[in-house]
Amino acid sequence: MKPYVLSLALGLLVGVIYALFQVRSPAPPVIALVGLLGILLGEQIPPLIKSWVKPDAVATSWLQHQVKPHVFGELPQCARGGPGVTPGQDT
């Protein structure tokens, strides 16, 4: 989650700098971003319909295994073990 927050914060900072210099942002307009979100979510409809028409023998979570990895990308994972354990170090 930290990279997403950092990305948002840096984007806001760049936006403020653009506003101070009165330069238009090269980013697409909001309507285009909403359209891209619609495309991303629309890609999830055919697998949903397929799972309703012909459900798998093994119950799986469509949201957890299909939508979440595709829409949000690979989210950061926490290290195994507890606090103070470095990644890659088995406990």
Side-chain angles (χ1 to χ4, degrees):
M1 189 62 132
K2 194 175 181 180
Y4 293 98
V5 173
L6 181 62
S7 177
L8 177 63
L10 289 175
L12 288 171
L13 176 65
V14 170
V16 168
I17 293 170
Y18 273 45
L20 291 174
F21 285 107
Q22 297 178 351
V23 176
R24 284 201 35 95
S25 168
V30 174
I31 191 75
L33 296 176
V34 171
L36 287 173
L37 178 62
I39 291 170
L40 189 62
L41 295 176
E43 287 182 54
Q44 305 308 314
I45 293 173
L48 175 63
I49 293 172
K50 287 179 184 177
S51 70
W52 283 344
V53 171
K54 184 180 177 188
D56 293 336
V58 178
T60 58
S61 171
W62 171 77
L63 182 64
Q64 291 294 326
H65 298 290
Q66 173 70 22
V67 175
K68 190 175 177 183
H70 185 73
V71 173
F72 297 107
E74 186 175 332
L75 296 176
Q77 301 291 321
C78 62
R80 289 187 179 188
V85 176
T86 58
Q89 177 185 3
D90 292 331
T91 54

